[in-house]
């Protein structure tokens, strides 16, 4: 391998990157739209303000490329929160260490109860989520959870604290398929402001997590930034840069991108930089035009109307009826959520909406052969 991502990332300057995006012209956008294979300079043009008048064209191209590669399908998944214990302070999260909330970590029996609820609904792809509390929900707890449910789901993904390479190898051995690890923001100083305490305050340990995952041989890595903390265009450019680096170095691994925008929670942080619905559509389409094979995921953070539209413009997987509190489906429905979801429709309602739009709902697309 030539360089680590950190070596590449450190060559960039935030303000210069912003300026290089803001100064893209309509000619740059037309040039990018006309190409078969687009690079990161084209991506900058497609997310720039100059591309706004071309949104309809972007959306049509994104829709066409998504149908060409994925057909008329959409993948369903469900998040399952296992614990809200956390030793980090994150300014935007309801589970932050200093928030005085009742803490809960699911037992084996409670995990299985939640699993029964989700299996009943038809889910076969599951996303396990925990806070970062090493003593209670460290790698042993996660490993136990994966092993406990591996026979019930064909695809297990985690969104937990960043781990070391050997720990990922051990979890893959237990049946882990994918890991989501969002950088939150690639702006190092802003990152430090939003993560003042705990292991997560180490910007570079988080930045290098996808490298450790690639080395561990994970099947899929999910990237993203939390929009609202900093300029969404620059954070998206660095996400794309990260993606391209990883694809080059860990080419056997698949990749997905998520697009979380700040949602209300008990800490009440307001977005510093607003990202409008149209901006998010532009971004999703730009990622599709950058990479036809990329999985693009849409959570229940977004509104009904937004999700109804985006499923036909580029998104390839979607969650429904999500609970963002441990035990939220069946064990402790009233406990505090990590953030408020926006689309509260049931799984059945989402499936019906997707079918009405002519989409085939996919519950399972992977089998873990041992
Ligand atoms: S975002 Fe994650 S690490 Fe930060 S406080 Fe919330 S659960 Fe903990």
């Amino acid at each position: 391998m030539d360089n680590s991502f950190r070596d590449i990332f450190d060559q960039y300057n935030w303000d210069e990157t912003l300026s290089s995006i803001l100064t893209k012209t309509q000619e740059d956008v037309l040039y990018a739209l006309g190409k078969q294979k687009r690079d990161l300079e084209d991506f900058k043009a497609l997310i720039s303000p100059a591309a706004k008048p071309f949104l309809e064209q972007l959306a049509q191209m994104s829709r066409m490329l998504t149908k060409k590669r994925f057909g008329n399908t959409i993948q369903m998944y469900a998040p399952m929160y296992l614990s809200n214990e956390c030793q980090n302070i994150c300014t935007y999260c309801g589970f932050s260490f200093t928030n005085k909330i009742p803490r809960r970590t699911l037992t084996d029996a409670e995990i299985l109860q939640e699993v029964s609820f989700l299996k009943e609904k038809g889910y076969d792809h599951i996303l396990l989520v925990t806070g970062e509390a090493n003593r209670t929900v460290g790698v042993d707890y996660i490993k136990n959870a994966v092993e406990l449910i591996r026979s019930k789901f064909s695809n297990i993904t985690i969104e937990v604290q960043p781990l070391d390479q050997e720990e990922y190898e051990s979890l893959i051995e237990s049946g882990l398929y994918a890991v989501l690890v969002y950088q939150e923001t690639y702006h190092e100083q802003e990152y430090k402001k939003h993560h003042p305490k705990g292991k997560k305050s180490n910007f570079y340990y988080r930045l290098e997590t996808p490298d450790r995952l690639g080395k561990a041989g994970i099947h899929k890595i999910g990237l993203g930034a939390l929009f609202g903390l900093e300029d969404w265009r620059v954070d998206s450019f660095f996400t794309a840069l990260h993606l391209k680096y990883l694809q080059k170095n860990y080419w056997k691994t698949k990749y997905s991108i998520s697009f979380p925008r700040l949602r209300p929670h008990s800490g009440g942080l307001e977005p510093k930089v607003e990202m409008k619905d149209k901006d998010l559509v532009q971004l999703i389409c730009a990622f599709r035009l950058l990479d036809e094979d990329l999985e693009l995921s849409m959570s229940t953070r977004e509104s009904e109307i937004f999700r109804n539209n985006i499923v036909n413009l580029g998104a390839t997987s979607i969650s429904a009826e999500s609970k963002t509190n441990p035990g939220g489906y069946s064990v402790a429905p009233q406990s505090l959520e990590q953030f408020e979801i926006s689309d509260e429709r049931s799984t059945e309602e989402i499936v019906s909406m997707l079918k009405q739009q002519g989409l085939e709902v996919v519950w399972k697309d992977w089998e873990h052969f041992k």
Side-chain angles (χ1 to χ4, degrees), residues 163-339:
L163 299 169
D164 292 338
Q165 182 182 334
E166 305 72 50
E167 293 173 318
Y168 285 131
E169 284 164 355
S170 159
L171 290 172
I172 293 166
E173 188 64 35
S174 293
L176 181 67
Y177 176 81
V179 175
L180 310 186
V181 56
Y182 308 143
Q183 186 59 31
E184 317 297 14
T185 177
Y186 287 83
H187 191 299
E188 192 178 347
Q189 289 75 36
E190 282 299 314
Y191 182 95
K192 293 209 154 113
K193 278 191 210 161
H194 290 290
H195 308 96
K197 185 184 174 297
K199 240 178 123 185
K200 194 167 174 177
S201 59
N202 187 336
F203 177 83
Y204 281 105
Y205 185 71
R206 195 167 188 91
L207 190 75
E208 292 176 327
T209 304
D211 269 300
R212 298 194 297 279
L213 280 162
K215 287 180 190 144
I218 193 80
H219 294 285
K220 188 172 88 181
I221 301 172
L223 304 174
L226 179 59
F227 298 123
L229 298 184
E230 249 305 328
D231 184 278
W232 66 266
R233 291 188 170 91
V234 185
D235 264 330
S236 299
F237 168 75
F238 283 119
T239 306
L241 180 74
H242 209 162
L243 171 74
K244 287 288 161 197
Y245 159 83
L246 292 166
Q247 286 176 325
K248 185 168 163 226
N249 289 289
Y250 312 105
W251 50 272
K252 288 185 183 165
T253 301
K254 285 170 69 178
Y255 296 90
S256 69
I257 304 282
S258 301
F259 305 90
R261 285 194 283 186
L262 262 185
R263 293 281 308 148
H265 73 94
S266 64
L269 182 75
E270 287 298 319
K272 174 181 170 190
V273 183
E274 192 191 358
M275 184 191 211
K276 299 203 169 78
D277 282 1
K278 276 192 171 176
D279 298 331
L280 184 50
V281 173
Q282 184 182 347
L283 177 63
I284 291 170
C285 296
F287 265 111
R288 173 58 67 227
L289 268 64
L290 178 69
D291 188 330
E292 294 179 22
D293 293 327
L294 205 51
E295 290 185 26
L296 303 179
S297 181
M298 190 46 52
S299 80
T300 53
R301 281 176 186 259
E302 297 303 332
S303 70
E304 255 184 73
I305 296 172
F306 188 87
R307 290 187 358 127
N308 288 358
N309 287 315
I310 208 66
V311 291
N312 257 317
L313 293 182
T316 55
S317 70
I318 187 171
S319 56
E321 207 175 334
S322 304
K323 301 293 179 206
T324 66
N325 46 337
Y329 295 107
S330 63
V331 176
Q334 305 308 328
S335 60
L336 184 109
E337 298 169 315
Q338 187 186 32
F339 56 87

Side-chain angles (χ1 to χ4, degrees), residues 86 88-90 92-97 130-132 184 200 338:
C86 193
N88 289 320
I89 294 179
C90 301
Y92 47 82
C93 178
F95 297 168
S96 192
F97 179 68
T130 69
E132 301 192 8
E184 317 297 14
K200 194 167 174 177
Q338 187 186 32

Side-chain angles (χ1 to χ4, degrees), residues 11-172:
Q11 293 168 17
Y12 284 82
N13 170 285
W14 183 277
D15 292 337
E16 284 170 12
T17 304
L18 175 61
S19 163
S20 71
I21 297 169
L22 296 182
T23 51
K24 289 288 181 194
T25 63
Q26 294 204 350
E27 285 69 41
D28 296 325
V29 178
L30 285 168
Y31 177 71
L33 286 173
K35 282 172 90 175
Q36 287 292 327
K37 204 165 164 26
R38 297 172 188 90
D39 59 23
L40 286 168
E41 283 306 309
D42 300 319
F43 182 76
K44 281 184 187 171
L46 296 177
I47 61 172
S48 73
K52 282 184 180 183
F54 301 92
L55 188 56
E56 184 58 37
Q57 201 174 334
L58 260 171
Q60 280 181 18
M61 289 176 75
S62 173
R63 179 185 160 94
M64 189 265 295
L65 290 172
T66 308
K67 301 280 174 214
K68 187 177 104 186
R69 166 65 180 79
F70 294 89
N72 260 337
T73 64
I74 193 122
Q75 171 73 53
M76 297 289 291
Y77 74 95
M80 187 167 113
Y81 278 65
L82 300 179
S83 173
N84 62 2
E85 295 194 51
C86 193
Q87 288 161 347
N88 289 320
I89 294 179
C90 301
T91 56
Y92 47 82
C93 178
F95 297 168
S96 192
F97 179 68
T98 44
N99 286 358
K100 300 272 174 273
I101 57 162
R103 303 284 171 170
R104 177 173 206 132
T105 296
L106 299 189
T107 63
D108 285 5
E110 289 170 337
I111 292 173
L112 291 173
Q113 188 177 323
E114 292 281 89
V115 163
S116 297
F117 179 94
L118 292 171
K119 289 306 296 180
E120 189 85 357
K121 294 274 176 182
Y123 288 100
D124 201 44
H125 285 208
I126 193 155
L127 167 63
L128 303 180
V129 187
T130 69
E132 301 192 8
N134 242 325
R135 260 179 308 170
T136 39
V137 287
V139 70
D140 292 343
Y141 178 87
I142 298 161
K143 191 173 171 68
N144 173 66
V146 170
E147 288 174 355
L148 190 67
I149 67 169
R150 69 185 293 185
S151 63
K152 322 256 185 218
F153 294 95
S154 49
N155 188 309
I156 301 174
T157 297
I158 57 170
E159 187 180 341
V160 304
Q161 61 182 313
L163 299 169
D164 292 338
Q165 182 182 334
E166 305 72 50
E167 293 173 318
Y168 285 131
E169 284 164 355
S170 159
L171 290 172
I172 293 166

